[in-house]
Structure formats: C-alpha cells, structure tokens
C-alpha cells in the first residue's frame, strides 16, 4: 500500500498563551512530554509511514521552525503556503505538489496539534483507513468515540447499518457544534463521533471532489499550475474555506472508522490539566514548580520556577517574558487577555 | 549641631521572596517607587545630614551592591562587618570607626528597609532628637504612634508625665511583641509607641552604655582596636546580640520622641499592597501587569508581564527566574516556600 501522510502545521491560536505566541503556535509546544505536538504527530506515524512519505503543510512564517523541529524530513516536503487560506486550499495545493504516485495512493490528512494517548490503536485504525480508502475510493473520516457531551466539537452522524467488509461505516451527515442537550443525545445515541479533522482518501479522489464541490478552488489551483511564477499572488486569491465545508459536508459517500485512542484536541490549559498526572495534592506540573498547601493547580514553568502556596484550582504559567494566572474553570477565557494585549498594542507579548 | 547618621544595611530576610534573595535583601529593592529602600533612606536624610556624615553598616557579602546603589557616599564610610553579629556589635564597631568629632556628636541609627511616607515629619522629629540627645546626654528612641494593634512589633511604654523642655518623653520599659488583647490595650492607652529600631544618641554616650551593660562586647571591641590585623577573627567572637537587648532595654534614662510620619516596616507583600495606590478594580501593580475581571490583587512584575483573569486577593510576583502566587492574607507564609526550597537544595532560588 502506498500511503502518504499530510500533516497540517500552519495553524495558530491563543488558547495556550503565553506558551503559544504568533510565531510559536500550539503545535510547536511540548505540552505533555519532551516532544512537541508536531514532533509527536510525526513520531507516531513513523512505524507506519516512512519519513519520505510524510509531508507538512505550514506557512512561510512558521516553516523555519517546522524544519528545525523535524530535521529528518526533507525540506522539499515541508510546504510553506504563500499565505494562510484555511484547510481546503492547503490540502488541495499540497496534493498538487505531490508526485503522481503519491497522489494516486492513499493520503491521510492529520492535524499537528492534538494529543493521541494510544499510538498503537491510532496506527491500527489508520492502516485500516488507508486500505478502506483505496479499496472503496471513498473518503474516510477518523471519527473519535465521544467520551463526554462536548459542545465544542462537530460530530459525524453514522447511519444505522453496521460496518462494511473494510470496517467502514457511512456518515449520514456532519453536525455542527451542538448545544448541551443535543450533545448529550448524540453521546447517548451511540451513533455520533467527534469530528477530529483526520481524513484518509486517495489523493486523486479528493481532487475530483474539489473539482465538483469547490470549482472556484479547483480553477485557482489550475491557474497556479499553469503559471507557477505567479503562485504567491494566485494563492492569495483562493477561496479561504475549510475542507469540511468545501468538500466533506457535501459528500454522500463519506465513510468513517470509529477511533478509540485517547484522542484530545488539547483545547485549553484545562484540557492539559486533565491529561497530565497529578501529584499527591492533585497538582499537575510541567517544569520546576513548588506547591505548599496548594491543591489541584496546573503549574507550567517553561523556564524558571513557579512557587504557589494556599491556592486551589488555578492555572499558573511562566513562559518567556510572561506569566499567566487564572482559575482553571475559566481557562477558555485566555483569549480575553490576548484581546486586551492586542488592544494595548503589546504585540511583543503575542 | 554635628549630627551623623548610621544606616544599618546588613539585614537579610525572606519576606519578599522571590524579589528578595540572599544577595539581594529587602533594602536593595525598589518596592514602592523608583528608588530602593536603602536609597530612599539616604535621600530623606540629605536635607538634614550631608553625605559626608552618612555612614552605612553592611556585610562583606552586600557591600558591593551598597556601593553601587549609593555612588555619592565615599566608600570609606560604607563599613563591611567581617561577619554578621547582630546590631549591638555593628553599631558599636561603627562608632569606633568614626572620627572622634562624629563620635562626640549626635548619631542616629536607622534601619534601611522601612518605608517613611512623610519625610518632612521624619526630619523634623530627627532634628529634635539630635538636639535632645545632645542636650540631655540621653538615648532617644524614635517611637512610632501606633495606627493599629500590631502583634508583630515591640512597644515602648511611656511614663505618665508629659514631654520635657526638649520635647522628649521617658520610656518606662520595653514591651516584647504582645498578644492581640495586650496590643489592643497598648493602642487604647495612648502611652505605647511602636519600636521602629531608630535611635539617636551621642556616640560616646552609647559606647559608655555598652561598657556598662555589655562589657563582653566592649572588651571585644577594645581587643580589635589593639590588634587591627586580627579584626576579622576577633569580630567573629563578639557576642551576637541586638542593641535593644544589649543596651536599650537596660537603660533607666531612655527617652523617646513620638513620630507620626507614615512609617511602615513593610513586613510582607500584604504590607506593600496596603501602601500602593489601587487601580479602579483595587489591583495594586508594580511593573507591567494586565488584569481582566480581577480584583484586589498585588501584581509585581520586576521584568516581563503578569496577566491575570478572574482572580481576587492574590499576590503574584515575577522576579528573576521565579514566580510566586499566594493569597494576600497568607503573605506571611512566604517563608514556608523558602524553607521548602532550602530543603530541596534549590539554593539558586534563594
């Protein structure tokens, strides 16, 4: 089986500020272990996909750091988009850059900023998906068995029939981020999976879907192929749209493989708290931290030392020139600090 | 009036960790304004005492930093004790180093790590004390009018008669740190002052008291005078005792001048909170700090930036390689963190 991985590493975000910054988004952070999320994404593929079949899509701003973090990957397979235009252009453009052989084979599109606790289970599912996508010429979404009624994710709704001979199930439809009651119904139904943004397909099949469902994008890519010298200019004119919206939600034939591999999108400091191991007082620590009479805090010192006394349920982060302190249950509100810093012109901190 | 100031700058402590460290005790910190407490101590004397009459007593470990902070003071008047032996040896030894003329004149012994809000009131009292000490040959304690029933200070108990012609009142006795009820009684009585460790005397008078009440110390100083080459060795053998215990508590004739000058010993991060000006949300800030939906915190960033959200009543300090977070009402417990760091051998942080 010729199987290729395309890792999307062009994202940015503020949820892990101050550890994450504009030039240092979440995929570049070693939140849990010694390896960054990007490095861990490559590491867990290697037993299944050789390095010469791993491609990275990132941005011009981030490409130098991607190369630094992944010295084993040849730099011609680390693609820098001229500018960020969301995932549909990024994926289609990368497929266009691949050699014909790779494009005709199975391709897995994978985010670079998620956690996967059980790499063996992940690879087993991925291997099934590679085979299923090639055998059926369908797009296969790796959907995650929901572990709670999350309102922050989209869901894949399965049909009521079982798996086919390849182990694939059919997706009836995409469901947008639900409200609490709907999410609870989804989880109770046993017929909904979290959309984790992981897809496997034959490259040529996906490009055919792009031609059908996103003709403007297909035309733009054709224009780039015809005039490579104008690539940056033409790329900037591609419609900025996600692959979910441009293609996946429109497919009748979308298949899925339910995945149970300790997946977590690590969407906030609170999510990191939940995956780290507690000490005797329930504190989770990364780096040097001293806790006296303090419980259930997340203490992250990228450098230096954090000392806390008599506090409970806080997030305390020391990263570079900044310190963050907020209650764990308000970890989602980090963006309000980032917005304040933007408003105050403190771009040096972003 | 020949008046000399002897500033004690050899102290160390942990109450302002992580801003204060072994090599950087509290007197070296600019806690409130742009000037350090030591610099502010000198600044407020200058209108009354010229720089050539200001002496500093410190330790060999700290003397370089004292010189750096006080470039206007001639280094021969910045005395480095061979080792720390508490205040009685430090003061008596410094008096011995002074020229005869200074020793025969009035000398004020002053701590270097306190706050004085009203420098004019302080200098007015000090000037009175200089005159009173010379006129009466008595030791004059500058006692602070108590503003609350503090249990962390010693008190000076006044006799019931009024002030004499120099404005001095007689101290009946020293009172050790009282319990809460006693402290409340002291404050209500109107006859008790906080002992702020500030004393004014004719130098020769104090040395005579040392000979009488602390003969072992006097003998040791005489030995040093006789054999200057053995100074370090002999100094280390002096009895390590405070001037209060060695001399002041034993005097029948101790006088005092009540002082109302915004004095604060700045005994904790909470004390600093109380003297800084609040922003609209009651936060007190030093350095760069961003507070979103956060109230009544003390935010001290010696470098870099502190960002807090949704927290109340915390102390957050970023200093050097360390971050401290604890509730304001537990600010006194910083020493528990320092003890933990000592126990863990983290001397680099102390």
């Amino acid at each position: 089986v010729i199987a290729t991985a395309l890792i999307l590493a062009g994202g940015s975000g503020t949820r892990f500020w101050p550890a994450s910054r504009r030039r240092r988004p979440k995929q570049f952070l070693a939140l849990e272990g010694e390896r960054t999320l990007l490095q861990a994404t490559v590491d867990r593929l290697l037993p299944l996909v050789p390095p010469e079949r791993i491609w990275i899509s990132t941005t011009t701003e981030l490409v130098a750091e991607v190369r630094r973090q992944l010295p084993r990957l040849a730099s011609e397979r680390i693609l820098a988009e001229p500018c960020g235009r969301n995932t549909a252009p990024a994926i289609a453009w990368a497929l266009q850059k691949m050699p014909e052989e790779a494009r005709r084979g199975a391709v897995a599109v994978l985010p670079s900023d998620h956690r996967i606790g059980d790499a063996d289970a992940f690879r087993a599912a991925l291997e099934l998906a590679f085979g299923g996508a090639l055998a059926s010429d369908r797009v296969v979404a790796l959907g995650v068995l929901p572990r709670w009624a999350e309102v922050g994710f989209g869901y894949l709704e399965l049909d009521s029939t079982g798996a086919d001979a390849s182990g694939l199930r059919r997706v009836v439809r995409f469901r947008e981020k639900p409200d609490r009651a709907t999410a609870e119904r989804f989880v109770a139904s046993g017929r909904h999976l979290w959309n984790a943004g992981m897809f496997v397909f034959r490259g040529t099949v996906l490009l055919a879907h792009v031609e059908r469902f996103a003709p403007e994008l297909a035309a733009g890519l054709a224009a780039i192929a015809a005039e490579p010298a104008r690539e940056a200019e033409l790329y900037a004119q591609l419609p900025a749209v996600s692959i979910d919206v441009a293609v996946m939600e429109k497919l009748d034939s979308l298949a899925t493989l339910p995945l149970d591999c300790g997946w977590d999108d690590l969407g906030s400091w609170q999510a990191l708290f939940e995956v780290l191991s507690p000490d005797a007082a329930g504190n989770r620590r990364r780096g040097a931290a001293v806790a006296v009479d303090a419980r259930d805090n997340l203490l992250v010192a990228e450098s230096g030392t954090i000392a806390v006394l008599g506090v409970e349920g806080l997030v305390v982060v020391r990263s570079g020139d900044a310190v963050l302190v907020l209650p764990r249950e308000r970890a989602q509100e980090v963006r309000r600090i980032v917005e304040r810093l933007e408003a105050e012109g403190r771009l040096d901190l972003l």
Side-chain angles (χ1 to χ4, degrees), chain A:
Chain A
V1 173
I2 289 174
T4 298
L6 170 61
I7 297 171
L8 303 180
S12 63
T14 60
R15 294 171 169 201
F16 283 90
W17 187 89
S20 64
R21 310 279 178 113
R22 279 176 305 162
R23 299 291 178 111
R24 190 176 178 246
K26 178 181 155 199
Q27 60 269 29
F28 291 161
L29 304 181
L31 289 173
E32 204 181 346
E34 293 305 307
R35 302 283 279 170
T36 68
L37 291 172
L38 173 62
Q39 290 172 325
T41 300
V42 171
D43 292 348
R44 82 171 68 90
L45 283 171
L46 286 176
L48 186 63
V49 182
E52 64 275 13
R53 290 204 166 277
I54 296 177
W55 294 65
I56 313 282
S57 170
T58 188
T59 64
T60 51
E61 204 174 31
L62 304 180
V63 66
E65 177 64 13
V66 171
R67 289 195 177 117
R68 207 189 60 76
Q69 292 201 1
L70 301 173
R72 288 181 63 185
L73 296 197
S75 63
E76 66 266 24
R77 286 191 301 279
I78 300 178
L79 305 176
E81 299 172 88
C83 60
R85 300 300 287 164
N86 210 331
T87 51
I91 293 166
W93 185 66
L95 290 172
Q96 187 164 292
K97 296 273 185 193
M98 288 180 189
E100 181 68 19
E101 180 204 45
R103 198 160 49 239
R104 290 184 177 279
V107 178
V109 169
L110 302 166
S112 59
D113 62 347
H114 295 167
R115 170 189 197 262
I116 286 179
D118 183 347
D120 287 329
F122 169 76
R123 281 188 296 269
L126 185 59
E127 196 163 15
L128 280 177
F130 280 140
L134 289 177
S136 68
D137 274 347
R138 293 162 75 192
V139 175
V140 180
L142 295 177
V144 174
L145 287 166
R147 298 195 298 282
W148 61 83
E150 174 64 51
V151 297
F153 301 153
Y155 287 71
L156 307 173
E157 181 179 334
L158 307 181
D159 77 1
S160 50
T161 62
D164 71 9
S166 308
L168 301 181
R169 298 192 60 171
R170 197 173 79 84
V171 174
V172 179
R173 67 177 69 86
F174 271 68
R175 305 295 298 246
E176 294 294 310
K177 292 176 185 177
D179 60 24
R180 172 74 50 193
T182 307
E184 283 168 3
R185 198 159 47 74
F186 284 178
V187 174
S189 76
R191 281 180 45 207
H192 294 80
L193 302 176
W194 288 339
N195 175 16
M198 300 189 281
F199 298 98
V200 180
F201 42 74
R202 197 185 284 277
T204 48
V205 166
L206 191 85
L207 288 173
H209 289 315
V210 168
E211 284 211 34
R212 177 170 173 204
F213 296 114
E216 195 188 341
L217 172 56
L221 289 165
I224 290 172
E227 284 189 279
R230 293 179 61 213
E231 183 172 69
E233 174 199 346
L234 295 171
Y235 196 94
Q237 296 167 22
L238 296 180
V241 63
S242 74
I243 195 70
D244 288 23
V245 168
V247 175
M248 301 304 175
E249 295 182 1
K250 295 172 175 164
L251 297 178
D252 265 344
S253 60
L254 185 66
T256 188
L257 256 171
L259 191 60
D260 184 10
C261 65
W263 176 89
D264 197 301
D265 83 329
L266 294 176
S268 70
W269 288 114
Q270 170 62 15
L272 180 62
F273 176 87
E274 284 167 3
V275 302
L276 294 177
S277 299
D279 66 17
N283 296 302
R284 274 69 163 176
R285 310 180 195 204
R286 293 283 294 157
V290 173
V292 176
D293 196 12
R295 300 189 65 80
D296 301 328
N297 302 287
L298 173 64
L299 308 173
V300 178
E302 283 203 290
S303 62
T305 299
I306 292 170
V308 299
L309 181 146
V311 294
E312 192 172 327
L314 290 184
V315 172
V316 182
V317 181
R318 183 187 195 280
S319 180
D321 47 358
V323 170
L324 169 71
V325 180
L326 81 177
R328 270 175 34 222
E329 73 264 23
R330 298 183 69 174
Q332 298 285 358
E333 297 180 48
V334 167
R335 62 177 170 70
R336 294 180 62 193
I337 289 172
V338 172
E339 286 161 10
R340 175 77 67 87
L341 292 170
E342 278 169 355
E344 293 181 358
R346 294 298 310 276
L347 300 182
D348 57 306
L349 288 171
L350 300 176

